[in-house]
Amino acid sequence: MPVSALALAGRSLRISSRRPDALIAALMLPVMLMLIFVYFFGGAIDTGTAYVTYVVPGAMLLCAGFGAASTAVSVSEDMTNGVIDRFRSLDIGGIPILAGHVAASVVRNLISTTLVLAVALAIGFRPQAGPAAFLAAAGLLLAYITAISWLAAALGLLAKSPEAAGGFTFLMMFLPYPSSAFVPIETMPGWLHGFADHQPLTPVIESLRALLLDQPAGDAPWIALTWCAAITAAALTLAGILFRTRTR
C-alpha cells in the first residue's frame, strides 16, 4: 500500500476514535444481535448442533456489514465537506484516498470480529479447526471484509449525502438474513431458496463454518473467493469511475 494510503488510513482511524458513540455501536451491535439469536431464538431453531456453533460465522459477516456502513458514510462525508479538494491539491489520487478508508475499515472490522469471536467462545462456541484451517478461515474472512469495504467505498461515492450513504449500505447489513447464517436454507419458503443458495454470503458462511468446525467444505471456499474477487474488482472499477466523475 502506498505511503499516502497508509497515512490516510491512520487519519480514518483517528476520526473513528473521536466518535466513540458510533465506534461502540459498531462494535457492540453485532455482539448483541448474536446474543439475541442465541438466547432468544436459538432454543426454537433446530440446526443439528448447538445454535451458538451454527450462528457464529453469520455473526462475523453481520459484523462486517455494520463496519462497512460506517465506511460508506466516511467516504461520503469526505466528498461533501471539501477535504477531497485539499487532498487533490497535494497530488493525492482517488485510489489512495479510498484505500485509506478501506484499510481503516479492515482494521475496525478485524477488531469487532475478534470481539464477536471472544464473546462466542465465552458462551460456548468451540471451534475444531487446526492451524491450517484456522488460517484459511481468517484469510477468507479478510478477503470478504476487503471486498465489502471497497463496495462500501463505492456506495459512499455514489451517495449524495452521508445519510444516503448509510441507507445504501442497508442491503449489505440485510444480506446475512436470507442466507444460511441464522437458519438452514431448507427451512425457508421455497421461493427464497434460489436466492439464498446463490447469493454471495452463503458460500462464505458455509466455508467459514466448515473450516472452523473441521468439516468438509467442498467447493464452497473457491466459490466464496470467486465472489470476493469479483466484488472487489467491480467495486474498484466503479469507485475509480465515480471518483473521477465527482471530482471533475
Side-chain angles (χ1 to χ4, degrees):
M1 184 184 299
V3 174
S4 57
L6 290 174
L8 291 168
R11 166 185 173 268
S12 296
L13 289 172
R14 287 192 296 273
I15 291 173
S16 296
S17 69
R18 294 166 188 162
R19 299 172 178 173
D21 51 346
L23 185 60
I24 291 172
L27 291 175
M28 296 307 299
L29 191 54
V31 172
M32 295 302 297
L33 287 173
M34 180 178 67
L35 294 175
I36 288 171
F37 272 98
V38 170
Y39 290 115
F40 291 8
F41 309 132
I45 301 173
D46 182 15
T47 61
T49 185
Y51 189 66
V52 65
T53 300
Y54 184 88
V55 80
V56 167
M60 291 179 175
L61 299 199
L62 189 65
C63 183
F66 282 110
S70 64
T71 301
V73 172
S74 296
V75 170
S76 182
E77 287 177 343
D78 276 359
M79 297 303 297
T80 56
N81 64 13
V83 72
I84 295 297
D85 293 333
R86 295 176 61 187
F87 288 150
R88 286 172 62 80
S89 70
L90 298 172
D91 197 27
I92 300 175
I95 293 301
I97 293 172
L98 298 176
H101 282 287
V102 169
S105 175
V106 170
V107 172
R108 289 192 302 265
N109 274 307
L110 290 177
I111 293 171
S112 56
T113 300
T114 301
L115 180 60
V116 167
L117 183 58
V119 173
L121 290 170
I123 63 175
F125 178 59
R126 296 294 180 265
Q128 305 298 317
F134 189 83
L135 286 174
L140 177 57
L141 185 61
L142 180 61
Y144 174 76
I145 290 173
T146 302
I148 199 172
S149 296
W150 273 111
L151 181 59
L155 291 176
L157 290 170
L158 186 63
K160 299 301 183 183
S161 69
E163 293 78 12
F168 283 173
T169 54
F170 171 77
L171 180 61
M172 292 188 290
M173 294 185 283
F174 173 75
L175 273 179
Y177 296 99
S179 72
S180 61
F182 302 110
V183 298
I185 290 175
E186 57 268 21
T187 65
M188 298 178 183
W191 57 266
L192 191 56
H193 286 187
F195 177 79
D197 277 325
H198 298 98
Q199 64 132 311
L201 270 67
T202 294
V204 178
I205 292 166
E206 294 297 329
S207 299
L208 291 175
R209 189 174 287 137
L211 291 167
L212 291 174
L213 300 179
D214 194 24
Q215 297 172 352
D219 293 333
W222 300 112
I223 297 173
L225 287 172
T226 300
W227 269 113
C228 290
I231 292 170
T232 303
L236 271 166
T237 302
L238 179 61
I241 294 171
L242 289 172
F243 188 88
R244 288 192 297 270
T245 300
R246 292 200 59 182
T247 56
R248 283 177 180 171

